[in-house]
Amino acid sequence: MTQSALRADEQDGLHVAIIMDGNGRWARERGRRRESGHREGAKAVRRVVEASPDLGIDVLTLYAFSSDNWQRPQREVQLLMKLFRRYLKSEIAELKAEGVRLQVIGRRDRLAPDLVRLIEESEEATQICRRLSLRLAVDYSSRDLLVSAVRAAAARTDLDRASLSLLLGQAMHTEEPAPDVDLLIRTGGEKRLSDFLLWECAYAELVFTDRMWPDFQGDALAQAISEYSSRNRRFGRVAEAS
Ligand code: FPP
């Protein structure tokens, strides 16, 4: 069975996805420019990646840049791209040493060629790492992926629901398939999905926190997982022993 055929109730470790929101407000609250919030946000990424394996997380998907984020001011977009470059350059040796496999999901054709090269090199360098799979979503849009997936599947009217589901699930991933999301966390107080992992979150538990992303630490991640553990996941079935 391929990984993409695994439902969230059939896998071992957790797949946690995070919408890292609130960098701009965090900065404004301190009288700083939005960019300073993104810089602090990059530090929070490091902390969360470090804390993840010991919290039972196998796969961590972080929403770093949505396809709609291209509409932000040019200066902010450039800063974010610079932070991604810096992260890849400065962290890759450490990620490898810690057994973290890095993958970038999303479109690559609109990224600068040197960034694409860095992404490819980082993926290659960490390919054999198995302690944690870190997926950064950059120029990512679930709807765009769904549209391409439907195009790919349109001709396959011969397939039953399960096979078509598998095909769509595979087409939804720009790289390798990943298991369904168990827990989706959004920081920054907003309560929406913003075109993130819409297919993979079919049965995800949702945790929204008012904490701004730059203030997010390992303890907040542990708290979100503890809330997740107290939920009764039924996947459309009735609770056991009822
Ligand atoms: C949302 O906050 C955050 C982003 C669009 C960018 C996320 C980027 C980082 C966390 C830093 C760099 C990442 C890596 C992987 C090195 P917002 O700007 O929308 O905040 P606001 O809602 O308060 O304005």
Side-chain angles (χ1 to χ4, degrees):
M1 187 187 280
T2 65
Q3 254 197 316
S4 66
L6 280 180
R7 284 198 322 262
D9 56 341
E10 294 171 333
Q11 73 211 21
D12 293 336
L14 295 178
H15 180 180
V16 173
I18 308 183
I19 301 177
M20 309 182 286
D21 195 16
N23 292 351
R25 278 165 289 155
W26 182 93
R28 288 266 178 259
E29 281 162 12
R30 287 157 181 81
R32 302 197 209 158
R33 304 185 69 102
R34 296 177 53 79
E35 284 80 356
S36 138
H38 292 317
R39 282 197 196 90
E40 287 303 314
K43 293 182 194 163
V45 168
R46 283 184 201 108
R47 293 196 295 269
V48 164
V49 169
E50 210 179 288
S52 289
D54 291 340
L55 291 170
I57 298 173
D58 272 358
V59 183
L60 177 68
T61 307
L62 302 177
Y63 206 4
F65 192 87
S66 78
S67 294
D68 286 326
N69 287 153
W70 290 114
Q71 296 165 52
R72 292 188 175 209
Q74 191 62 13
R75 180 192 157 100
E76 183 170 339
V77 169
Q78 277 171 0
L79 185 269
L80 286 167
M81 295 299 153
K82 196 165 127 190
L83 289 176
F84 301 149
R85 275 189 193 87
R86 193 180 291 167
Y87 182 79
L88 296 177
K89 282 184 187 158
S90 67
E91 299 297 304
I92 216 64
E94 178 76 11
L95 291 178
K96 195 174 171 190
E98 292 297 323
V100 180
R101 179 178 189 189
L102 179 98
Q103 288 169 289
V104 175
I105 59 168
R107 286 177 65 164
R108 296 193 183 180
D109 58 313
R110 295 188 288 199
L111 302 179
D114 70 302
L115 179 55
V116 175
R117 257 194 317 277
L118 252 179
I119 291 171
E120 288 167 356
E121 283 164 16
S122 308
E123 289 180 335
E124 166 117 36
T126 59
Q127 204 173 15
I128 54 158
C129 300
R130 288 290 172 269
R131 194 159 161 252
L132 173 71
S133 171
L134 168 64
R135 306 191 320 147
L136 290 184
V138 178
D139 196 358
Y140 179 89
S141 158
S142 267
R143 282 197 162 183
D144 282 1
L145 285 171
L146 267 169
V147 168
S148 338
V150 167
R151 283 209 178 100
R156 304 301 310 271
T157 45
D158 54 313
L159 296 179
D160 61 15
R161 186 189 185 279
S163 311
L164 202 49
S165 238
L166 189 57
L167 187 75
L168 279 170
Q170 282 164 347
M172 284 295 296
H173 302 283
T174 43
E175 292 301 310
E176 281 175 40
D180 280 350
V181 173
D182 297 291
L183 167 63
L184 176 92
I185 302 168
R186 182 175 188 137
T187 62
E190 312 283 359
K191 295 183 177 65
R192 52 177 173 262
L193 296 179
S194 300
D195 201 11
F196 188 44
L197 302 176
L198 301 181
W199 178 270
E200 297 88 335
C201 280
Y203 280 100
E205 295 295 326
L206 310 181
V207 169
F208 299 102
T209 163
D210 288 336
R211 210 185 281 213
M212 300 294 151
W213 176 251
D215 286 333
F216 202 80
Q217 313 261 2
D219 69 320
L221 183 59
Q223 204 178 318
I225 290 176
S226 156
E227 181 172 343
Y228 162 84
S229 306
S230 70
R231 304 255 179 103
N232 180 6
R233 302 188 80 192
R234 293 189 297 280
F235 299 93
R237 305 185 284 257
V238 291
E240 267 163 43
S242 63

